[in-house]
Amino acid sequence: MANSSQRTPATNAGAVEHFDAIVIGAGISGLYQLIRLRELGLTARVYEAGGGVGGTWYWNRYPGARFDSESYTYGYSFSEELLQEWDWKEHFSGQPENERYVNYVADKFDLRRDIQFNANVVSAAYEETGNYWEIRLDDGARARARFLITAVGILSAQNIPPFEGIESFKGESFHTSRWPKEPVGLAGKRVGVIGTGATAVQLITEIAKEVGHLTVFQRTPNYCAPLRNGPIDPETQARIKASYPEIFKRTRETSAGFIHDFDPRSVFDVTPEERQARFEELWAQPGFGKWLGNFRDIMSNKEANELFAEFVRNKIRERVNDPVVAEKLVPRDHRFGTKRVPLESGYYEQFNRPNVLLVDLRESPIERITPLGVKTSDAEHQLDVIIYATGFDAVTGPLTRIDIRGEGGRSLKDKWADGPRTYLGIQSAGFPNLLTLVGPHNGATFCNMPRCIEQNVEWVTDCLRYMREKGFERIAASEQAEEAWTGHVNELAAGTLLSETASWFFGANIEGKKRAILMYLGGAKAFRAKCDEVAARDYEGFVLE
Ligand code: N01
């Protein structure tokens, strides 16, 4: 490995630049990885497709975008100074503030000098004889490094369904995750939103009051639960800052890196009155407690799940004036929590507004996009703006959209055609020295992201340090370890209530994508323990050379 002084200048036009490590993505994981690589004394370059840092918080600037995690559990935990310097203003902070935070981090740790922005990595190939990776940008520029670390996130490859006539629309159209930086004037306009996932729920609530008319195209209603956001007053701020060690201790112990964790009791351990009281209590609390702090069998027992599902359905019915509209908003085709639960701040009340129309696509599917708007089977909805809140080619998409070639020129996309195959969600056999932060099957996929991202980055950093100390230059997951881990991940998913629901967790939202679990459902704590055990056994399951 080279040391920092041997770094090739970035301005070497036409030449292939060389680094010890290349990181793809300057979001939460890429930035932290850069900090740790520098500490190891490695030369590194981060290639970022966007024009700024932040990943999710750079791209998802649609109105209403905000954390569903408590702000003080979301920030980086590695720097006490940073924790004490940064004041979160709201319990669930919004995108503008979140983007400011990530920029603050980039400035504080002087990260930009090693980041190339507007740099879209289109391919990455492993060169066996030289044991290095070569990446190529869309402008033809190339760079090489011994290690390629992907920090591309799990929800960055946008999905716009291939609606017929999509190009013919004469108005403006946007995907929520490619929202322009310049303000989009929606006031007084006829706006259509396609999709009713977590993104749309935030967006619709924010824009309904501003637009002239809003048409919401809903295929599947969700179980949305109140976020209960609010400002953080100075006294609470001081208390938060004094209790970061306890907060992060807690998030290390819970199953998904949140402060919430499942109640060890079954719904059937308590009387119906106690159960109802507990449901109400959870409902009144901020954040994900209704999902991740509920009775333990909500997510494993159909009858238990149905009790809470019906509780939520009734909450929806109470809030929507028109009973016909209310019933359209009530989910019945999947169980509570088997899709990501959208958190909301007045979503259902928007459907009481005279300027908001709910179109149930189960009754009248979209036939095509026309020059004037959206044509469903029973009407043409004329629109000035169409907003695609249609989600992502999740988890694998950000990786398979890059032409990644490992040993023997084998493509990662081809290898994963029947579902991802990984070891710890960090490597895939046949792709030496490629380390996938928050990759498919990784514990970070079902987690309060930064909490598990820090674990991923620290594990990778320790691994690179170990390799240097022992004189290793190549790490590759063994076929056997991959087989065992992939089997374990699939086994964990099989038979769960989650596996009965078509969701992006299984790639079911993308036409033609093989349905296979993309996440690790064993919990963040178990994942951390497994990673620690592998490291303690000299990186068992990896072949080091
Ligand atoms: O995407 P989604 P999202 N015709 O895939 C509909 C995270 N997040 O961007 O359910 C008509 O959930 C689709 O309908 P259906 C969070 O992890 C985090 O909302 O497939 N409709 C659905 O309604 C979340 O899970 C935060 O029937 C079509 C919607 O589009 C993830 O991002 C905030 C369609 C897509 O919903 C993705 O959420 C927001 C078609 N052909 C999001 N295709 C934070 O808290 C798709 N749809 C930080």
Side-chain angles (χ1 to χ4, degrees):
M1 293 179 195
N3 61 43
S4 304
S5 59
Q6 291 173 304
R7 194 176 136 201
T8 312
T11 49
N12 204 352
V16 180
E17 297 192 79
H18 292 252
F19 306 96
D20 293 326
I22 285 173
V23 178
I24 308 179
I28 303 289
S29 50
L31 294 183
Y32 185 41
Q33 187 65 74
L34 175 58
I35 291 171
R36 290 299 189 206
L37 289 170
R38 278 187 186 168
E39 281 173 8
L40 278 184
L42 299 189
T43 63
R45 167 69 59 80
V46 180
Y47 291 92
E48 165 56 53
V53 295
T56 289
W57 302 109
Y58 174 85
W59 293 109
N60 288 272
R61 50 183 76 243
Y62 60 85
R66 66 173 60 253
F67 290 155
D68 280 345
S69 310
E70 285 74 9
S71 307
Y72 50 88
T73 71
Y74 192 96
Y76 289 110
S77 75
F78 68 87
S79 162
E80 181 59 22
E81 198 177 276
L82 173 64
L83 287 166
Q84 295 306 321
E85 276 170 8
W86 185 261
D87 286 349
W88 291 108
K89 296 189 175 58
E90 291 177 282
H91 284 276
F92 300 88
S93 176
Q95 181 273 336
E97 185 69 357
N98 306 344
E99 194 186 8
R100 265 196 293 280
Y101 170 74
V102 191
N103 275 280
Y104 181 84
V105 173
D107 291 337
K108 181 176 170 68
F109 296 96
D110 186 22
L111 300 181
R112 287 175 218 281
R113 63 186 158 87
D114 288 323
I115 306 173
Q116 188 172 327
F117 294 104
N118 305 305
N120 195 13
V121 177
V122 291
S123 68
Y126 177 65
E127 164 51 53
E128 288 181 56
T129 36
N131 185 33
Y132 62 82
W133 280 87
E134 181 170 300
I135 60 121
R136 190 183 286 269
L137 306 182
D138 58 1
D139 66 1
R142 292 178 297 154
R144 285 178 192 164
R146 174 121 308 151
F147 297 100
L148 177 62
I149 304 175
T150 59
V152 290
I154 62 171
L155 297 162
S156 56
Q158 60 168 331
N159 167 45
I160 299 188
F163 294 118
E164 222 184 299
I166 201 159
E167 299 297 336
S168 71
F169 182 58
K170 293 253 185 308
E172 286 182 294
S173 55
F174 308 97
H175 186 274
T176 47
S177 78
R178 291 294 179 275
W179 199 264
K181 277 188 176 171
E182 310 71 43
V184 177
L186 297 176
K189 292 193 179 156
R190 298 167 304 172
V191 177
V193 175
I194 303 180
T196 50
T199 297
V201 165
Q202 293 184 330
L203 170 86
I204 288 164
T205 311
E206 188 66 23
I207 67 172
K209 56 185 176 286
E210 179 195 357
V211 301
H213 189 270
L214 181 64
T215 311
V216 176
F217 297 92
Q218 170 190 273
R219 191 165 63 180
T220 311
N222 268 306
Y223 295 92
C224 308
L227 174 67
R228 306 204 191 283
N229 189 22
I232 295 178
D233 60 49
E235 202 181 305
T236 310
Q237 188 76 258
R239 212 171 45 242
I240 290 170
K241 288 192 180 179
S243 44
Y244 273 125
E246 293 82 62
I247 292 168
F248 294 126
K249 181 168 181 289
R250 168 84 181 149
T251 57
R252 262 195 307 278
E253 283 165 359
T254 59
S255 54
F258 290 92
I259 49 170
H260 314 283
D261 210 1
F262 289 101
D263 188 327
R265 295 172 302 170
S266 155
V267 283
F268 304 111
D269 287 346
V270 296
T271 65
E273 294 72 31
E274 285 168 333
R275 181 188 309 139
Q276 186 69 14
R278 181 62 187 145
F279 284 170
E280 290 289 355
E281 204 174 74
L282 287 168
W283 200 251
Q285 289 171 9
F288 273 134
K290 303 102 183 164
W291 185 19
L292 306 173
N294 217 312
F295 292 97
R296 65 167 157 76
D297 45 356
I298 287 282
M299 291 307 295
S300 57
N301 177 307
K302 290 176 187 172
E303 287 73 37
N305 187 287
E306 182 55 23
L307 288 170
F308 193 67
E310 192 54 22
F311 173 88
V312 181
R313 292 185 197 118
N314 287 330
K315 290 288 182 197
I316 298 169
R317 291 180 181 117
E318 280 169 21
R319 292 169 62 184
V320 181
N321 298 343
D322 181 336
V324 176
V325 176
E327 286 313 312
K328 288 185 202 294
L329 288 164
V330 163
R332 287 184 201 79
D333 74 330
H334 65 285
R335 297 180 196 287
F336 172 81
T338 58
K339 286 184 162 199
R340 158 65 147 80
V341 175
L343 295 182
E344 52 83 30
S345 307
Y347 175 63
Y348 291 109
E349 285 73 13
Q350 305 312 314
F351 296 93
N352 298 332
R353 290 177 166 276
N355 68 331
V356 176
L357 172 71
L358 179 67
V359 173
D360 185 343
L361 298 178
R362 303 262 183 215
E363 288 171 3
S364 50
I366 294 176
E367 285 183 345
R368 57 180 295 120
I369 307 294
T370 71
L372 297 180
V374 175
K375 168 84 178 70
T376 64
S377 60
D378 70 357
E380 181 176 26
H381 299 271
Q382 298 205 355
L383 302 166
D384 302 310
V385 181
I386 299 178
I387 302 176
Y388 296 97
T390 42
F392 302 89
D393 181 356
V395 191
T396 47
L399 292 166
T400 56
R401 287 185 186 190
I402 301 171
D403 183 14
I404 297 177
R405 307 248 161 196
E407 284 171 328
R410 188 175 185 196
S411 132
L412 188 67
K413 185 177 176 184
D414 289 349
K415 181 178 173 186
W416 287 356
D418 286 332
R421 301 183 55 74
T422 81
Y423 182 38
L424 301 179
I426 285 175
Q427 272 217 319
S428 195
F431 295 80
N433 291 1
L434 170 65
L435 299 151
T436 54
L437 300 173
V438 201
H441 298 172
N442 186 302
T445 51
F446 200 101
C447 188
N448 185 11
M449 277 291 165
R451 301 286 61 81
C452 291
I453 281 172
E454 286 184 338
Q455 180 273 341
N456 266 226
V457 167
E458 284 158 16
W459 191 91
V460 162
T461 308
D462 287 347
C463 174
L464 296 182
R465 184 183 296 110
Y466 173 91
M467 288 178 70
R468 185 172 58 189
E469 282 167 7
K470 302 278 179 185
F472 293 125
E473 299 217 314
R474 187 178 184 278
I475 178 167
S478 75
E479 293 280 355
Q480 298 88 319
E482 174 175 288
E483 181 79 25
W485 183 253
T486 303
H488 171 60
V489 167
N490 288 330
E491 237 167 64
L492 283 172
T496 60
L497 297 185
L498 263 71
S499 68
E500 294 174 8
T501 299
S503 74
W504 65 256
F505 298 170
F506 291 82
N509 62 325
I510 302 296
E511 241 178 88
K513 188 167 175 174
K514 173 81 182 180
R515 198 160 161 175
I517 185 67
L518 303 174
M519 338 272 283
Y520 173 73
L521 300 180
K525 197 176 168 190
F527 181 75
R528 180 186 294 270
K530 173 68 183 174
C531 288
D532 289 349
E533 183 191 306
V534 166
R537 294 188 181 172
D538 295 321
Y539 296 90
E540 188 179 49
F542 292 97
V543 179
L544 293 156
E545 290 169 60

